[in-house]
Amino acid sequence: MTATYDASRPVTSDAAEAIAAAVREATEELRDTLHRHGIDATFDDIALLGHSESWDGEGQRWVQVSWDGEGKG
């Protein structure tokens, strides 16, 4: 069964440190989610895929990380 897993975090400011922190937190959350689903992916595996950014209807900036892959089952 192919599944897509993702995680997102709000970006608190335009400072590079805030963006990096949001990406790091989302990547850690995604890694933990993958591990709970039996997928052995490291932080570095996920980080190599990069991230995307978007803004919601209220102007909040978000970062997203995603993993398209095989889950258990």
Side-chain angles (χ1 to χ4, degrees), residues 22-35:
V23 170
R24 184 175 50 255
E25 291 170 7
T27 302
E28 289 170 349
E29 178 186 346
L30 180 56
R31 180 199 58 211
D32 294 345
T33 297
L34 292 171
H35 285 178

Side-chain angles (χ1 to χ4, degrees), residues 5-7 9 25-42 46 67 70-73:
Y5 302 90
D6 57 21
R9 285 289 186 273
E25 291 170 7
T27 302
E28 289 170 349
E29 178 186 346
L30 180 56
R31 180 199 58 211
D32 294 345
T33 297
L34 292 171
H35 285 178
R36 284 193 304 276
H37 285 91
I39 300 170
D40 186 26
T42 66
I46 298 165
W67 179 274
E70 295 292 320
K72 281 188 167 179

Side-chain angles (χ1 to χ4, degrees), residues 6-11 22 25-27 29-30 52 54 62-65:
D6 57 21
S8 60
R9 285 289 186 273
V11 178
E25 291 170 7
T27 302
E29 178 186 346
L30 180 56
S52 61
S54 63
W62 291 81
V63 295
Q64 299 85 29
V65 292

Side-chain angles (χ1 to χ4, degrees), residues 36-59:
R36 284 193 304 276
H37 285 91
I39 300 170
D40 186 26
T42 66
F43 183 96
D44 290 339
D45 293 335
I46 298 165
L48 287 172
L49 299 174
H51 72 279
S52 61
E53 297 184 21
S54 63
W55 285 259
D56 64 19
E58 297 177 6

